[in-house]
Amino acid sequence: MHCPRAARDPSTAAETLKSDGRRPSPQEAASCGWTGRGGLPRDPLAVRRRRAGIVFTLPVVTLVGILLLYPIAQTVYHSFTVWDGITSHWVGTATYSQLFAKPEFVQVLENNALLVLSIPVAIALPLGVAFLIQSKLRGWRFFRSVFFLPTAVSWVVIAYVAIRFFADDGILQHLLNGVGLGFWHPNMLSNERSALIAVMITFVWSMFGTNLIIFLAGMATVDQELYDAARVDGAGSFTVLTKITIPLLRRFIQFAFIVTLIAAFTALFSLIFVMTSGGPGYGTTTLEFFIYEQAFQTGDFGLASTAGVILFLAVAAVGLMQLRFFKGED
Amino acid sequence: MRKLIVGLVALAAVATAGASYAATSIGSGTVTLTLWHNYGTSGNTTATVSLAKAFEKTHPGITIKVVSQPTANYFSLLQAASISKTGPDISVQWTGLFDLKYEKFLLNLKPYFSAAEMAKINAVRYMAPNFNPAKGLLVMPLENQFYMGFYNKALFKKAGVKAVPRTWSGLFAACTKLKAAGITPMVYGADEQGIQSSPYPWYDMSYLMAGVLTPAQWKGLYTGSILWTSPKVVAQLTKWTSLPKKGCTNTDVLTKQNIVGAFTKGEAAMISDGSWDAPTYQKAMGKNVAPFALPFTNSGKNVTQYAGDGFSVMNYSKHQPEAVQFLKFVMSGPAQKIIAAAGLIPNVKGYRTKSPIQNEMLALAAKQGYAPYPMLDNVVQGEVVTAGSKQLDAAFGGDITPLAAAKSLKAALDALPASRKGPVYSG
């Protein structure tokens, strides 16, 4: 087979073929010396662009590789070793067996699972408040600032405020005294389960501002005419929220979920460190805190790496589950 | 482009030279040693700073930069810095199994201290590899310490407590009288300079185990030949955890902060603490404070007296000879006098403290025939200590049973390899 004369020039070959309304056969592409994608002639400009693209992305790829992918690969490797921070030796899956044999690790996993339960609350509350603010209720500007405030405060400060709030003679107790319930001393930080609930409440509060802003930004993208049309059709506020706002905010809810999930699993270290030190007992020890304890208190970096891999898998699993959930909705 | 490359090379050269200069010396002919401690503002800090100043006077070519690190995560910081060899030249170490845990970062001082010198150090075995002084020395102790109680004389008098409790029964009797007088008998919680943000249970645990085991039997807790879940251990824990339930403590034992401040203000009659806080109490309360051995026993014959901390030279230090000179200085007569003047108990034989409260405790221990024990957390494995720090607190707060806490300690020990619980002490 001969190469068609009109298609010999690479710069016009694609156009020629397009006008023919066909793709070249493999034999035709070979006879013309076309090695591009789909058997088309290689476009020098496209090649240069692709090369430039690769060159421009190289620094980022290198950085991500060195600072993210390599440490992750190292962590996975060390999760199969006994490693004291200096020397390590391979023990295979023994570290995983050892980790799951620890009764406290099972409790740590339970704590993380319970923390996940707080995520819907950390989403639903700001979503509802964002809806009210979007409705331009009286004083909405003031409340928008107030609700966003925790986001601008460091976890350490939040933790100290939480200690003062939940302490035996703290603000919560004074509030209870004020409403005649002073006989009830919840002293939430002194009990394993109640301390975790206190951490969850603090976490929900601290994520409130971030999620609120995400939802307000999302609501600003919704066409106002949809609301007007719904009102004309006689829809109440609840119907508007559930039938218009929430479905149209699906992507924003998904984003808020991911942000909150990652915070719950990997950003609570300083809050827990200051607020409870993981106690009482292992009551508020989460996976990330457990990793710190294993690595830096016990000096068992191998086991800490193993727990790190478990944390990575847990976050990935929950993230994939929610992606699947929202994909189904689509 | 060429100019850019030349510029970058020049910058790199300057940076390298600068880093190298900073790492080795500040000022010509002057070596700067960095010393990390976790003493907060206790009497130990006063002693450390004074020792550094005195050393600088007698060693003109050497300066010491004393860095106070946070108590709660001091060893985490030190370990991380040591792995990357960016830690200090000299660090405060806790003795016993603590220093064995970090032995891989510590310089063995055997070549620098003769057998005669080492013999002058009280309880030197706890600063030696495998607790065997023949193998060398890892830590130069700063002081001799007690885990101990302090009581408020005025509050005892007000409640009609005439005899300082020495046994469980004495403690419960005192507790009843103090409560009747509206006084909180004992204050528990955390302190700003504390090891953790909840009570550190190993002060009490040392006395609890001393109450039922001999010093030699404590090795059984290390090897596992005496189970943490044995009836006598659990019985002691049960009595101890009954203290909050019986109203012998403040109600918020796990969450109360600044207990040292609370005690000095007279908010409670007794506190479980250590001799390092004696200067603080002495200063704040004068003659109204007195020491006692924690009475978690039926015999009233035990005391925890032990050189719990000191200085080590890091094996990655670039100034090891100078750092060793500082440790030699710490052992000298003038240095021991500085330690005594700071209100601490010198640990080198032949020197005495000037602190009235410390002398009272020493006299108590000597005259009343107490058997000295080391600090329990220094002679049982770190993993057990970590588990206990959490679970003993949980039991004390009434969250889990004493037996459940004991099982956690046993589980932590069981999970260790045989080499970590054999006949020879090992980090």
Side-chain angles (χ1 to χ4, degrees):
Chain A
M1 177 167 286
H2 296 289
C3 180
R5 181 178 295 276
R8 282 182 192 162
D9 178 3
S11 60
T12 58
E15 288 303 315
T16 307
L17 289 169
K18 208 183 282 177
S19 64
D20 289 355
R22 67 183 178 85
R23 297 182 78 80
S25 65
Q27 292 84 357
E28 198 176 5
S31 67
C32 293
W34 296 338
T35 54
R37 205 175 272 177
L40 287 169
R42 186 179 285 270
D43 182 351
L45 182 63
V47 171
R48 277 206 299 274
R49 278 186 180 152
R50 204 173 299 126
R51 280 184 188 156
I54 291 169
V55 170
F56 281 124
T57 53
L58 259 182
V60 175
V61 169
T62 309
L63 275 178
V64 169
I66 292 172
L67 300 177
L68 199 65
L69 299 179
Y70 178 63
I72 288 175
Q74 258 197 327
T75 304
V76 173
Y77 168 77
H78 283 301
S79 74
F80 295 101
T81 66
V82 170
W83 180 33
D84 64 1
I86 299 174
T87 55
S88 66
H89 65 271
W90 183 268
V91 292
T93 54
T95 48
Y96 285 85
S97 314
Q98 189 192 344
L99 190 63
F100 282 98
K102 280 177 176 273
E104 64 266 28
F105 184 68
V106 176
Q107 190 178 354
V108 164
L109 291 178
E110 280 175 16
N111 293 343
N112 268 81
L114 288 170
L115 263 179
V116 171
L117 294 181
S118 69
I119 295 177
V121 182
I123 301 276
L125 276 179
L127 183 61
V129 173
F131 184 70
L132 292 175
I133 289 176
Q134 182 70 8
S135 308
K136 305 280 192 289
L137 286 179
R138 195 172 170 175
W140 65 274
R141 284 193 179 88
F142 170 75
F143 286 113
R144 188 177 60 183
S145 304
V146 167
F147 289 138
F148 188 66
L149 195 64
T151 307
V153 179
S154 87
W155 285 107
V156 174
V157 176
I158 289 171
Y160 275 111
V161 171
I163 289 172
R164 287 295 307 132
F165 183 81
F166 291 112
D168 193 32
D169 59 346
I171 299 165
L172 177 63
Q173 190 59 49
H174 285 279
L175 288 172
L176 289 172
N177 295 344
V179 295
L181 294 172
F183 59 88
W184 181 41
H185 275 265
N187 195 10
M188 290 182 74
L189 297 178
S190 68
N191 176 278
E192 284 195 8
R193 281 287 170 250
S194 61
L196 186 62
I197 292 169
V199 168
M200 288 161 73
I201 292 170
T202 311
F203 168 63
V204 168
W205 176 69
S206 62
M207 288 305 295
F208 194 92
T210 306
N211 288 341
L212 182 75
I213 290 296
I214 291 171
F215 294 137
L216 283 174
M219 286 174 187
T221 66
V222 178
D223 189 349
Q224 190 60 36
E225 285 180 7
L226 283 172
Y227 289 120
D228 296 339
R231 300 281 183 205
V232 169
D233 288 345
S237 295
F238 183 73
T239 308
V240 168
L241 175 69
T242 53
K243 302 289 183 190
I244 297 177
T245 307
I246 292 178
L248 289 174
L249 283 183
R250 191 177 298 138
R251 290 291 173 203
F252 291 88
I253 294 171
Q254 196 176 358
F255 177 64
F257 184 92
I258 291 285
V259 168
T260 312
L261 172 72
I262 291 172
F265 274 63
T266 63
L268 290 189
F269 174 80
S270 41
L271 176 76
I272 291 170
F273 186 83
V274 177
M275 197 171 160
T276 61
S277 289
Y282 291 91
T284 58
T285 303
T286 58
L287 257 173
E288 59 167 339
F289 200 83
F290 181 79
I291 290 167
Y292 162 77
E293 287 184 331
Q294 290 303 312
F296 295 103
Q297 287 186 353
T298 310
D300 193 342
F301 288 85
L303 207 62
S305 301
T306 311
V309 171
I310 302 292
L311 174 62
F312 179 79
L313 293 176
V315 175
V318 179
L320 285 174
M321 274 165 58
Q322 70 85 29
L323 276 176
R324 202 175 178 80
F325 174 75
F326 279 100
K327 198 176 178 183
E329 290 281 305
D330 284 338
Chain B
M1 186 57 130
R2 195 177 164 190
K3 280 182 183 173
L4 180 68
I5 292 169
V6 170
L8 286 174
V9 170
L11 187 66
V14 170
T16 310
S20 163
Y21 176 80
T24 54
S25 64
I26 295 173
S28 77
T30 302
V31 169
T32 299
L33 301 173
T34 304
L35 185 157
W36 281 14
H37 73 83
N38 61 345
Y39 290 145
T41 56
S42 65
N44 300 44
T45 303
T46 310
T48 302
V49 172
S50 302
L51 286 170
K53 283 181 181 168
F55 176 77
E56 285 172 354
K57 276 185 188 169
T58 52
H59 297 74
I62 309 171
T63 58
I64 299 183
K65 185 180 169 190
V66 178
V67 181
S68 176
Q69 297 285 9
T71 308
N73 60 339
Y74 171 75
F75 286 103
S76 303
L77 292 170
L78 183 64
Q79 181 179 240
S82 296
I83 287 170
S84 58
K85 298 183 180 177
T86 55
D89 300 288
I90 302 166
S91 73
V92 160
Q93 279 293 320
W94 292 348
T95 57
L97 288 175
F98 284 105
D99 69 61
L100 295 193
K101 181 179 173 183
Y102 299 108
E103 187 177 352
K104 55 184 174 282
F105 303 122
L106 307 181
L107 180 71
N108 190 329
L109 302 164
K110 190 176 183 181
Y112 307 100
F113 288 86
S114 66
E117 283 177 308
M118 283 173 62
K120 289 181 183 173
I121 300 170
N122 283 313
V124 70
R125 64 187 292 250
Y126 295 113
M127 295 115 213
N130 301 129
F131 292 5
N132 180 0
K135 291 189 173 181
L137 181 70
L138 298 170
V139 185
M140 170 54 63
L142 173 66
E143 51 163 342
N144 203 335
Q145 297 175 323
F146 288 100
Y147 283 164
M148 60 197 281
F150 296 91
Y151 68 93
N152 183 315
K153 288 182 186 173
L155 292 181
F156 265 34
K157 191 176 178 184
K158 185 181 171 187
V161 179
K162 288 172 184 163
V164 179
R166 288 189 66 174
T167 59
W168 279 116
S169 56
L171 178 63
F172 287 126
C175 175
T176 305
K177 285 184 179 175
L178 287 160
K179 275 196 301 176
I183 298 163
T184 303
M186 299 185 84
V187 62
Y188 278 94
D191 194 64
E192 287 162 8
Q193 296 170 38
I195 297 163
Q196 56 190 50
S197 61
S198 55
Y200 187 64
W202 292 95
Y203 307 155
D204 287 8
M205 207 43 191
S206 296
Y207 280 90
L208 288 166
M209 294 305 99
V212 288
L213 300 169
T214 65
Q217 284 175 322
W218 273 21
K219 180 87 181 269
L221 294 172
Y222 172 84
T223 60
S225 65
I226 293 177
L227 297 180
W228 286 105
T229 49
S230 63
K232 53 188 169 188
V233 172
V234 176
Q236 282 287 81
L237 289 178
T238 304
K239 275 186 181 171
W240 178 63
T241 54
S242 75
L243 289 173
K245 290 173 198 147
K246 289 183 175 173
C248 293
T249 66
N250 48 312
T251 55
D252 50 349
V253 288
L254 296 189
T255 53
K256 188 167 181 66
Q257 302 293 310
N258 192 13
I259 55 168
V260 171
F263 179 71
T264 55
K265 285 179 196 161
E267 288 179 21
M270 291 175 276
I271 190 169
S272 166
D273 199 345
S275 55
W276 53 88
D277 274 329
T280 305
Y281 295 130
Q282 188 88 68
K283 191 177 174 186
M285 301 170 75
K287 291 183 178 175
N288 192 31
V289 64
F292 72 118
L294 293 169
F296 305 141
T297 169
N298 290 325
S299 68
K301 292 283 184 186
N302 326 304
V303 67
T304 300
Q305 185 180 4
Y306 176 80
D309 67 315
F311 303 108
S312 293
V313 175
M314 310 311 287
N315 59 14
Y316 51 81
S317 167
K318 288 174 181 161
H319 308 297
Q320 287 179 9
E322 293 85 355
V324 170
Q325 280 187 56
F326 176 70
L327 266 58
K328 288 220 150 214
F329 171 76
V330 169
M331 208 181 160
S332 69
Q336 292 299 308
K337 285 173 187 167
I338 289 170
I339 292 166
L344 307 178
I345 306 168
N347 193 54
V348 173
K349 289 168 188 168
Y351 296 94
R352 291 174 177 276
T353 179
K354 290 181 179 174
S355 161
I357 201 167
Q358 304 271 38
N359 276 322
E360 196 175 339
M361 188 65 191
L362 283 166
L364 195 75
K367 288 178 189 168
Q368 297 195 15
Y370 283 108
Y373 285 73
M375 293 167 175
L376 185 60
D377 49 336
N378 293 60
V379 293
V380 298
Q381 293 85 345
E383 289 81 351
V384 175
V385 173
T386 302
S389 298
K390 284 173 169 280
Q391 300 293 63
L392 292 170
D393 271 5
F396 198 53
D399 230 9
I400 59 173
T401 64
L403 180 60
K407 282 180 177 172
S408 295
L409 301 187
K410 182 179 178 298
L413 182 65
D414 289 347
L416 295 175
S419 61
R420 297 278 313 281
K421 46 191 174 186
V424 177
Y425 282 101
S426 165

